[in-house]
Amino acid sequence: MIEQRRMEGGKMKHPKSVKRILLGIVALVCALSFSTQATSAPDTEIAKEKTFVLEWLSQPQTIEQFGLISDAIWSYAELGMQEFKSSALLADTLEKAGFTVERGMAGMPTCFVATYGSGKPVIGLLGEFDALPMLSQKGRVPKQDPVLAGAPGHGCGHNTMCTAAAAAAIAVKKAMDKYGFEGTIKVFGSPAEETLISRPYMIRAGLFEGVDAVIDNHSGSGFSTSYGKGGNAMFSSVFAFKGKTSHGASPWNAISALDAVELMDVATNFLREHLFYTYRMHYVIKEGGEAPNVVPDRASVWYYIRNSDERVEEMYAKVINCAKAAALATGAELEEIRCYSAVHQRHANKAAAELMQKNIELVGMPDWTEEEHVYARALQKELGEEEKGMPTEMSEISDSSRHFVGGGSSDVGDVTLIAPTATIRFPGQVPGAIGHHWSTVSANYGSTAWKGLNAGAKAIAASAIDMLTRPEELKKLRDEFEEYSKKFPYKPFLPENAEPPVELNRELMDKWRPLMEKYYLEHE
Ligand SMILES: [Zn+2]
């Protein structure tokens, strides 16, 4: 229930469906503790600051507070650049906890930076909160059943992610207050990760200046981290053509802008054969006319152009040539190439990942109830996956550069090149659920999401405590980073004249937000 799930007078109200889940959660929070299934002891005694943050995060009211925030953001399901309610809920929560919050950063209304403490070291936590289009799905229903067919949904778990970072940051702040250690903790509220937009602009605006290390997080079904190079670099650009309109049945003097888009797509599809196999390329036609009997004088196509850091710029230049060739062939004008964003591959810091892995093992996989396993098995059955329930095994640290890196991208890539960074992947999702798919939306709501994000928050907070209180550990990260950045100094792919596309998804959210709010009001 959207409106009522907001924090009101310090208390968060929620609808009956959430109350039902809460009844189950009362039992689970009592069972949760930071050593549920710890697989190995840390190599030194656990510092009092770390014990404190883990205990604070284990409190039932803490788990409930951030669980409800996650569920609220899940129900808002706001697309990138339009995350007004999600961003405000997180920023307000941090502000109420004593952080100084700067909003509307780097030219993006939903970007915020929350800061607490003073002096060195400065530790940054990344947090995402955007949803994906067309994935609407009822929470914890193990078959496709949209809340509103065609509406957005949280198909990547981002509802849990900035929430976990905020919980961790507040825990660290409380430890700072209690034990009085020096340092600064920052939460970088990062919009539009699904369209890879915010981080290059945030770096360009200087938001990460002086940050000594960064802890990223992502929701998943395992509890793990990795180091090394991963993912693909990417340019996200819209190619817009201008033609000349006329009656579709007498088009002799017209120029179809749609013809230019189609010819460009034919050219790029022939280009594929000659691209190095690490590439990925996909597009959607954004504008292609509205009726066959009116020659479209405007058409545009949105491309994701992905390859390794070494190859992506050359590939982008070839795609631009395809656009120019299509304009020449049709007589249309290539009016604009609007680069929304451009990102590097990730290069996660090994020392940071090793530090995080110890804390992941200290926290351990959450204990899942039989009801949670039953739900997970039902979802797995529906998807034709092995019916093994929620995960119980921990993963070992992995070297991501050993794997084929083709595929996805993340704007965290640029952050890894300006500060030592690694990602804590925390549980909560169902193994076998498909990313960017209704099955992941279903699984990211309610008790498993609450437990997963809580485990993630603990690993993030414990890692931040290590970085803030153990200078010799932070030095390992810094030394590795300095060495790497001497060889690969950061040079943004983002064109200097690029501006964040703040209008992105506005029409879609203007359409869906009131309908979703109405739905939740009626289904209280
Ligand atoms: Zn994601």
Side-chain angles (χ1 to χ4, degrees):
M1 137 98 255
I2 290 188
E3 283 312 320
Q4 289 185 330
R5 267 190 227 169
R6 301 183 66 157
M7 301 289 280
E8 284 164 4
K11 273 198 91 172
M12 187 170 277
K13 297 187 195 167
H14 33 74
K16 284 176 196 138
S17 57
V18 175
K19 281 179 188 155
R20 275 200 300 276
I21 292 166
L22 278 177
L23 287 175
I25 280 165
V26 169
L28 81 88
V29 290
C30 300
L32 267 175
S33 85
F34 64 82
S35 57
T36 40
Q37 290 185 14
T39 52
S40 69
D43 50 8
T44 53
E45 205 180 311
I46 303 173
K48 58 187 184 309
E49 297 90 345
K50 196 182 283 190
T51 303
F52 174 83
V53 294
L54 296 174
E55 283 178 358
W56 185 77
L57 286 164
S58 293
Q59 289 176 9
Q61 62 268 35
T62 308
I63 297 168
E64 181 182 344
Q65 180 191 357
F66 292 96
L68 288 172
I69 290 171
S70 168
D71 285 354
I73 295 172
W74 182 94
S75 68
Y76 302 157
E78 293 176 305
L79 296 167
M81 290 282 133
Q82 308 302 322
E83 315 96 324
F84 293 101
K85 294 168 76 166
S86 312
S87 166
L89 178 54
L90 292 159
D92 291 350
T93 301
L94 285 155
E95 203 164 57
K96 275 185 201 142
F99 283 70
T100 301
V101 180
E102 300 166 284
R103 301 170 197 241
M105 303 303 280
M108 294 173 281
T110 54
C111 175
F112 70 85
V113 181
T115 305
Y116 188 77
S118 62
K120 287 280 194 179
V122 181
I123 306 304
L125 311 183
L126 298 182
E128 302 165 9
F129 35 72
D130 59 326
L132 286 154
M134 302 188 296
L135 294 183
S136 178
Q137 165 68 26
K138 289 183 184 139
R140 306 193 66 70
V141 172
K143 61 177 174 49
Q144 189 169 17
D145 185 6
V147 172
L148 283 173
H154 269 287
C156 202
H158 293 195
N159 55 303
T160 58
M161 286 161 47
C162 196
T163 312
I170 293 169
V172 170
K173 181 249 176 206
K174 286 180 183 292
M176 283 174 156
D177 291 346
K178 187 172 167 70
Y179 297 105
F181 54 90
E182 271 280 298
T184 306
I185 186 100
K186 281 176 176 277
V187 178
F188 292 96
S190 315
E193 193 282 332
E194 296 293 4
T195 34
L196 307 154
I197 290 169
S198 59
R199 272 65 172 256
Y201 292 103
M202 292 166 76
I203 293 169
R204 193 173 75 180
L207 305 189
F208 289 93
E209 262 162 39
V211 173
D212 294 294
V214 173
I215 304 172
D216 178 43
N217 71 81
H218 205 290
S219 146
S221 59
F223 203 1
S224 64
T225 185
S226 62
Y227 58 89
K229 199 172 256 194
N232 258 330
M234 186 180 107
F235 280 84
S236 164
S237 292
V238 177
F239 297 81
F241 296 90
K242 190 171 183 309
K244 197 174 147 196
T245 187
S246 80
H247 194 300
S250 48
W252 335 118
N253 295 318
I255 295 170
S256 166
L258 179 60
D259 289 355
V261 162
E262 290 194 82
L263 263 183
M264 177 186 171
D265 296 344
V266 169
T268 57
N269 284 318
F270 273 102
L271 179 64
R272 287 181 192 277
E273 182 185 355
H274 309 289
L275 294 170
F276 196 72
Y277 60 82
T278 47
Y279 89 95
R280 285 283 191 283
M281 179 165 57
H282 18 257
Y283 55 82
V284 289
I285 296 177
K286 272 175 78 84
E287 300 160 289
E290 288 181 8
N293 59 355
V294 179
V295 173
D297 62 353
R298 193 181 156 81
S300 61
V301 56
W302 182 9
Y303 267 80
Y304 278 11
I305 295 145
R306 311 191 203 229
N307 215 322
S308 62
D309 276 356
E310 296 75 27
R311 290 188 160 93
V312 75
E313 285 175 297
E314 185 193 358
M315 178 177 164
Y316 186 48
K318 288 178 177 174
V319 172
I320 290 174
N321 280 341
C322 293
K324 287 178 178 168
L328 184 65
T330 55
E333 185 193 337
L334 176 56
E335 195 178 42
E336 188 187 20
I337 302 173
R338 171 89 193 270
C339 182
Y340 282 165
S341 188
V343 301
H344 280 269
Q345 286 180 281
R346 275 162 288 171
H347 190 280
N349 185 282
K350 188 179 180 191
E354 284 171 346
L355 180 149
M356 292 174 191
Q357 180 70 18
K358 283 183 193 150
N359 288 305
I360 288 169
E361 290 174 8
L362 172 69
V363 172
M365 193 62 92
D367 282 326
W368 311 108
T369 62
E370 186 50 30
E371 184 274 332
E372 289 162 348
H373 285 301
V374 167
Y375 160 73
R377 286 195 287 266
L379 188 65
Q380 287 155 347
K381 186 176 183 194
E382 178 72 13
L383 296 170
E385 293 285 328
E386 190 190 341
E387 292 166 49
K388 56 186 179 187
M390 293 300 288
T392 50
E393 298 291 318
M394 302 283 289
S395 314
E396 290 185 356
I397 192 168
S398 66
D399 176 357
S400 48
S401 51
R402 286 198 325 236
H403 309 294
F404 176 59
V405 297
S409 312
S410 169
D411 59 357
V412 174
D414 285 45
V415 180
T416 66
L417 298 179
I418 53 104
T421 305
T423 303
I424 291 173
R425 280 181 288 277
F426 62 78
Q429 300 193 23
V430 171
I434 302 162
H436 296 204
H437 184 266
W438 64 262
S439 54
T440 294
V441 187
S442 167
N444 270 309
Y445 183 81
S447 65
T448 44
W450 289 31
K451 285 183 185 178
L453 85 86
N454 185 262
K458 286 173 180 164
I460 297 167
S463 301
I465 291 288
D466 281 339
M467 292 175 189
L468 286 161
T469 60
R470 298 171 69 188
E472 73 285 3
E473 287 296 320
L474 184 60
K475 187 172 180 304
K476 286 186 205 163
L477 277 64
R478 293 295 319 172
D479 287 350
E480 180 189 328
F481 174 74
E482 308 292 347
E483 186 87 352
Y484 185 80
S485 50
K486 258 183 241 157
K487 279 188 271 174
F488 302 99
Y490 178 59
K491 175 185 157 290
F493 286 142
L494 188 71
E496 275 174 31
N497 62 355
E499 290 297 333
V502 293
E503 75 287 358
L504 196 71
N505 297 317
R506 187 177 291 151
E507 272 178 42
L508 276 175
M509 280 320 296
D510 283 352
K511 173 184 169 189
W512 288 114
R513 191 182 282 114
L515 294 172
M516 291 194 288
E517 287 174 355
K518 185 165 173 277
Y519 173 89
Y520 286 111
L521 275 172
E522 285 169 1
H523 291 78
E524 191 192 344

